[in-house]
Amino acid sequence: MKFPNAAKGMKKIYTSEILKLIATIFLIAAVIMIVIAVAGGQVGDNIGSALAGGGLIGAGVCVLVWMVLVIIGFILKLVGIINASHDEESFKSALIFWIIGIAAMIVSSVLIANNTSMAGNLLNTFSELVQIFITIFVIAGGVKLADRLNRGDVSAKGTNVLKLIIVIKILSLIAQLVSTFMGGIVTSVVAGVIFLVALLLEVIQYFMYLSFLSQAKKMLIKS
């Protein structure tokens, strides 16, 4: 194995992205339940009230699971990036953006908790933008390692996947911003649907990202 640190790091990054994919599915379920709750609240009768109450309870459970999975995923990703950075410089850039992204998420959570939801949501969108750069540098690191191992197939796949992921991420961010400016998912059914579209786009990019990470991981293990 020529790059043991990168192999170990890529395995952890791959696992962290699987956890984040599962977390996103739970978040999608939470958004659907919130949309149902908001719609039920607008109806105003007994059935609407039941839908609103049940939707909020279900959403709360899904959000809790989402939070746990995201935290575990972030920690695994941090460890993986640190490991991989010992064999390839691109992962050090990914680490810097990881730190920036965590700081943005913490400040965003504080702002939302203090009823400044618009600023908090915008900062959360910024942290999502930072995730794009982390993805770029992780894929770039994988591509450079593939070039050093003369694996043109993995290198070409990484380049193509990166282009598609950037496009999907930008579309997802636009959808999130539109949802935020419409008042957020807790106040508008339409905003909730738009946010749901953003999450579905995220799921698509996760599958694409995981396909590259899986191939890069196997390449490094067999090197």
Side-chain angles (χ1 to χ4, degrees), residues 3-211:
F3 303 108
N5 294 308
K8 188 188 301 181
M10 198 64 80
K11 285 172 65 177
K12 287 185 172 62
I13 293 171
Y14 178 74
T15 303
S16 76
E17 294 301 328
I18 289 178
L19 290 176
K20 286 172 68 179
L21 171 60
I22 297 171
T24 301
I25 293 171
F26 272 97
L27 187 57
I28 289 172
V31 172
I32 292 173
M33 291 178 188
I34 290 173
V35 169
I36 291 172
V38 172
Q42 291 175 352
V43 172
D45 57 15
N46 290 335
I47 296 177
S49 298
L51 286 173
L56 289 175
I57 292 172
V61 173
C62 288
V63 168
L64 182 60
V65 175
W66 168 76
M67 288 176 62
V68 172
L69 290 174
V70 166
I71 291 170
I72 296 172
F74 267 112
I75 293 171
L76 267 177
K77 193 169 189 175
L78 172 62
V79 176
I81 290 173
I82 291 173
N83 286 337
S85 67
H86 294 303
D87 286 335
E88 170 53 47
E89 290 291 320
S90 296
F91 291 99
K92 292 181 180 178
S93 298
L95 179 59
I96 292 171
F97 278 99
W98 186 94
I99 294 170
I100 294 172
I102 284 294
M105 285 184 64
I106 293 172
V107 175
S108 170
S109 300
V110 172
L111 289 173
I112 292 174
N114 285 281
N115 297 320
T116 51
S117 57
M118 179 62 76
N121 286 329
L122 287 175
L123 195 56
N124 185 61
T125 301
F126 169 76
S127 71
E128 290 293 326
L129 179 62
V130 170
Q131 295 302 312
I132 297 178
F133 287 99
I134 296 174
T135 301
I136 288 172
F137 285 112
V138 168
I139 293 179
V143 167
K144 288 180 180 179
L145 288 168
D147 289 336
R148 289 160 69 181
L149 292 170
N150 296 316
R151 287 293 303 272
D153 56 326
V154 179
S155 177
K157 180 170 183 175
T159 302
N160 293 330
V161 165
L162 180 58
K163 292 175 183 176
L164 293 171
I165 286 178
I166 289 174
V167 172
I168 292 173
K169 276 282 192 180
I170 290 173
L171 291 174
S172 175
L173 283 173
I174 291 172
Q176 289 183 46
L177 283 170
V178 171
S179 175
T180 298
F181 283 113
M182 290 184 69
I185 61 176
V186 296
T187 59
S188 169
V189 172
V190 176
V193 172
I194 293 173
F195 189 72
L196 189 58
V197 170
L199 291 177
L200 290 173
L201 288 171
E202 287 290 308
V203 169
I204 294 171
Q205 73 88 25
Y206 272 127
F207 278 111
M208 296 173 63
Y209 190 23
L210 283 169
S211 68

